[in-house]
Amino acid sequence: MQLHPDFIYRVDWVGDERQPVLVIDNFLSEPLVAVEFCAAHAQFKRADAFYPGVRSPAPEVYLQTIYHNLKDIIYTTFSINDSMVRRVFSDYSMVITPPDQLSLMQCLPHYDSLITTELAAVHYLCGREHGGTSFYRHRDTGFEYVDHNRSATYTEKLTDGINSAPYRQAYMNGSNHLFEQIASYEAVFNRMIIYRCTSLHSGNIAPDFLFDANPRKGRLTINTFIGT
């Protein structure tokens, strides 16, 4: 896998708390190869309790491509280094769970980890019609990220908010009475966004979203986790 000749990136500093989001456009030179590999070889299984869909491991060469081409950019943006990175993995991912089958936690913006140096990446192998990713501020606390120091307060205030009024069973897509959307990134084909796992975020899944499990037609992404 090679970089696209029109590879470009930028760093956005999102929200009042200025959390970094690394935005890469035109990542792979031949992204359709990644789609076709998935269609031919992926063995999807239900994901964890938080992701509303299925996942299958991406090939090792994909991780090697990230390491060799993006390492310096990632390390500089998020102030990490080789000695801090303990595990990295990438999965093909597809959202296929209808709204009426969502758990409460799948209806909320979420964080992936309480460790500020751990990172998540989403590489869109689908188009804008499948919805991108947004970042959020929790209204009652003003938190835009949740780490170990904030976890107890956030959990308490979020629980109070959920218990104070019925929470709609639907995908998050825009602001509501508990969360304010502070930034949104479209699912541009061959775009990747990288952000801290502590940032509150959610996929943009519209009410008319078509839950297609075909990798060539559905919301196919490669999600990468960088653990420290």
Side-chain angles (χ1 to χ4, degrees):
M1 292 183 175
Q2 303 294 325
L3 286 186
H4 195 285
D6 295 325
F7 171 91
I8 190 171
Y9 74 92
R10 72 177 192 270
V11 179
D12 293 343
W13 297 90
V14 169
D16 294 339
E17 299 194 308
R18 306 283 290 167
Q19 293 299 294
V21 177
L22 176 59
V23 184
I24 297 164
D25 282 310
N26 305 313
F27 175 40
L28 296 179
S29 61
E30 298 182 81
L32 286 175
V33 171
V35 177
E36 291 304 315
F37 181 92
C38 178
H41 301 288
Q43 297 181 350
F44 283 106
K45 296 181 180 179
R46 280 285 172 182
D48 55 46
F50 295 99
Y51 185 77
V54 292
R55 285 184 165 149
S56 179
E60 181 66 25
V61 67
Y62 182 82
L63 284 174
Q64 293 170 0
T65 302
I66 291 177
Y67 183 80
H68 289 297
N69 294 289
L70 303 182
K71 181 185 72 169
D72 292 343
I73 299 170
I74 293 171
Y75 285 6
T76 299
T77 301
F78 298 99
S79 301
I80 63 173
N81 56 57
D82 266 337
S83 67
M84 299 168 67
V85 177
R86 291 179 169 83
R87 61 189 180 115
V88 183
F89 58 86
S90 295
D91 291 318
Y92 286 109
S93 304
M94 297 194 71
V95 172
I96 62 168
T97 305
D100 62 1
Q101 296 179 23
L102 294 175
S103 67
L104 174 60
M105 296 309 296
Q106 291 172 332
C107 300
L108 300 164
H110 64 282
Y111 55 87
D112 298 321
S113 165
L114 295 171
I115 302 172
T116 56
T117 52
E118 295 193 327
L119 310 177
V122 182
H123 181 196
Y124 302 103
L125 296 175
C126 59
R128 289 177 171 86
E129 69 276 12
H130 294 291
T133 301
S134 289
F135 294 86
Y136 290 89
R137 176 184 301 117
H138 180 234
R139 295 185 189 274
D140 288 347
T141 59
F143 294 166
E144 297 169 0
Y145 70 89
V146 181
D147 60 7
H148 284 292
N149 294 328
R150 293 180 167 189
S151 177
T153 299
Y154 176 73
T155 300
E156 178 184 356
K157 294 297 185 182
L158 178 60
T159 301
D160 289 346
I162 291 171
N163 291 337
S164 67
Y167 195 87
R168 183 167 171 256
Q169 186 173 7
Y171 280 98
M172 195 74 195
N173 193 4
S175 302
N176 63 21
H177 65 292
L178 295 184
F179 294 93
E180 178 185 358
Q181 186 183 94
I182 57 174
S184 189
Y185 295 88
E186 290 187 317
V188 177
F189 186 74
N190 205 24
R191 165 179 286 176
M192 177 188 286
I193 63 169
I194 306 176
Y195 50 90
R196 288 180 177 148
C197 287
T198 51
S199 292
L200 289 168
H201 64 281
S202 181
N204 301 333
I205 309 298
D208 60 352
F209 184 84
L210 298 177
F211 296 91
D212 196 327
N214 183 340
R216 296 186 180 96
K217 297 180 180 179
R219 191 184 191 272
L220 179 64
T221 61
I222 300 181
N223 292 51
T224 301
F225 172 77
I226 301 173
T228 61

